[in-house]
Amino acid sequence: MKLTKKQIENLALFGGVFIVLLIILNVTAPYVYKLFPNDYSRIGIILDALKTRTVTPEIVVFGNSKAMSGVDANMIQEHLSGNPETYNFSSVGQSIGESLLFYPMLPDDTKAVIQCFKLEEFTQPLVFNEPAIIALKMGKYPMNEDIKQLLPKAFWEKLDRPDVYYNFKSRQTVSSGLIRFLRLHLDEDAPDSGILDDLKFPYLFPSEIDKAPNYQTVIQMLEKEDYSWADDFSISEECKDLLIKANDYLERKNVKLYIAIISHAPDVKGLSSEKQEKIIGKLQGELPQLKFIDCRKSLTSDDFYDPLHPNKKGAEKISTIISTAVNADF
């Protein structure tokens, strides 16, 4: 069928309008993203602090939500000789690979990095959550050669695509930002809206609650998981290689790397204290150049908000354990 002149004009108009809309959406995507903060927006706040040098940490904590709720940088700073500036740069779901992205951005004043781990993370393949990638790109992460040397190519290449790709993908996180906004205003048990900005102690849960109402329900769910990896524990070669590279990189910058283990509440019987202690000993044997800090010591079920995250009493104990370990070398 031959198109009429009018139909061709209409198609051309539609195509032109569509292209203009795509251009507008591409240009405005970073601004729309910032209008609706989500859990991963904290990454942009950390990036801004490091890029603008509004903070000059001497000691930095990295890790996932366990570290957010479990490590109080204020307490570590108070306990250490000379009260070195200490910051908690952990964020939701932050993996070792994501933490490493910040290492080249640390100021010359930095003397120690506390990298928090959960034990199963040592056995798992390197992961990079897409929302974290988008947050890094929306925050204008400065890609550099150090990162290309530290991380496997397949990993850092995820941050090396055209901006239009990330702008398009950011639409998915805007919806999660809307959900977070509604939760902050409707859910009585919602985290404080200021946790994204807190670079000292970004505690995830309401301060007046020590234990989640569904604590035992979560215990039952966790007990159904497969903990066979703990019986015959072996660190993945990818993780081992990454830690060695990270340690060598920081050593060249005169920075000490500590690996802090923050595990489940002791109520999770599938991962017993004996198994955990044996795993940590094995890790120390395989990576003698690293300093491991066992943050499980003296923690009870009363020190956890839920079976995965410490409450403020637990954070006080964990922060004291870290302070004692670091103070011995500082």
Side-chain angles (χ1 to χ4, degrees):
M1 183 183 71
K2 188 176 181 179
L3 296 175
T4 65
K5 182 180 178 182
K6 184 66 175 176
Q7 287 173 324
I8 293 171
E9 288 175 349
N10 287 339
L11 284 172
L13 178 62
F14 176 80
V17 170
F18 183 72
I19 290 170
V20 169
L21 282 174
L22 284 179
I23 293 172
I24 292 172
L25 289 172
N26 183 51
V27 171
T28 59
Y31 303 100
V32 175
Y33 181 86
K34 289 181 180 179
L35 280 175
F36 301 101
N38 56 74
D39 288 340
Y40 290 88
S41 299
R42 177 171 167 78
I43 293 172
I45 293 167
I46 296 168
L47 271 176
D48 285 341
L50 287 171
K51 287 194 297 185
T52 59
R53 289 292 186 257
T54 51
V55 299
T56 52
E58 294 175 75
I59 297 176
V60 188
V61 177
F62 290 108
N64 59 21
S65 57
K66 290 177 182 286
M68 289 177 71
S69 294
V71 184
D72 185 348
N74 295 299
M75 184 175 294
I76 292 174
Q77 182 170 326
E78 289 171 6
H79 286 186
L80 292 180
S81 309
N83 307 122
E85 282 291 325
T86 306
Y87 289 89
N88 187 330
F89 286 169
S90 56
S91 60
V92 173
Q94 187 184 106
S95 65
I96 174 62
E98 291 167 30
S99 301
L100 254 66
L101 290 167
F102 295 110
Y103 285 16
M105 300 179 69
L106 296 174
D108 294 337
D109 295 331
T110 306
K111 296 181 177 66
V113 166
I114 315 296
Q115 183 67 57
C116 299
F117 265 86
K118 54 183 182 179
L119 285 174
E120 51 266 48
E121 194 173 358
F122 290 103
T123 68
Q124 297 166 349
L126 191 60
V127 294
F128 203 167
N129 296 319
E130 187 168 80
I133 297 171
I134 294 168
L136 286 160
K137 295 304 292 188
M138 293 294 114
K140 306 297 181 186
Y141 177 77
M143 181 64 72
N144 56 64
E145 289 303 315
D146 284 354
I147 282 301
K148 293 182 178 182
Q149 296 298 320
L150 278 171
L151 294 175
K153 186 177 181 181
F155 195 74
W156 61 255
E157 276 187 339
K158 293 183 179 182
L159 277 165
D160 212 17
R161 293 167 175 159
D163 287 346
V164 64
Y165 172 85
Y166 305 103
N167 290 339
F168 177 74
K169 287 287 188 179
S170 70
R171 77 195 191 286
Q172 299 170 359
T173 53
V174 169
S175 60
S176 64
L178 285 168
I179 292 170
R180 183 179 186 276
F181 175 82
L182 291 172
R183 186 185 173 205
L184 289 174
H185 290 83
L186 300 176
D187 189 346
E188 293 181 1
D189 196 27
D192 191 299
S193 59
I195 63 168
L196 290 178
D197 302 302
D198 193 334
L199 295 178
K200 287 287 189 176
F201 185 30
Y203 185 70
L204 284 167
F205 306 107
S207 58
E208 67 273 11
I209 301 176
D210 279 339
K211 194 173 286 291
N214 64 340
Y215 185 90
Q216 288 301 326
T217 303
V218 179
I219 286 288
Q220 292 169 11
M221 290 172 58
L222 289 172
E223 284 298 342
K224 295 177 182 178
E225 292 189 7
D226 182 8
Y227 294 99
S228 57
W229 58 267
D231 297 322
D232 189 22
F233 174 82
S234 178
I235 185 172
S236 72
E237 286 303 316
E238 191 175 42
C239 183
K240 187 174 182 179
D241 181 62
L242 206 62
L243 285 173
I244 291 171
K245 284 184 177 179
N247 185 61
D248 291 345
Y249 175 78
L250 291 177
E251 273 192 345
R252 291 195 296 271
K253 298 170 82 69
N254 295 313
V255 178
K256 177 75 173 178
L257 176 62
Y258 298 85
I259 307 298
I261 308 297
I262 302 179
S263 191
H264 301 335
D267 299 298
V268 183
K269 303 303 181 185
L271 193 59
S272 67
S273 179
E274 292 76 14
K275 285 183 182 179
Q276 293 182 58
E277 190 171 346
K278 185 177 179 180
I279 290 170
I280 294 171
K282 192 170 183 179
L283 284 167
Q284 188 68 79
E286 288 196 41
L287 294 165
Q289 66 271 55
L290 298 181
K291 172 79 172 184
F292 286 85
I293 304 174
D294 184 356
C295 296
R296 303 171 306 109
K297 301 172 184 174
S298 73
L299 265 64
T300 68
S301 62
D302 291 335
D303 297 316
F304 285 82
Y305 175 82
D306 61 35
L308 299 174
H309 300 92
N311 57 27
K312 289 193 172 181
K313 290 189 294 184
E316 184 175 347
K317 288 184 179 180
I318 290 171
S319 302
T320 301
I321 290 168
I322 291 174
S323 301
T324 302
V326 174
N327 211 24
D329 299 326
F330 209 67

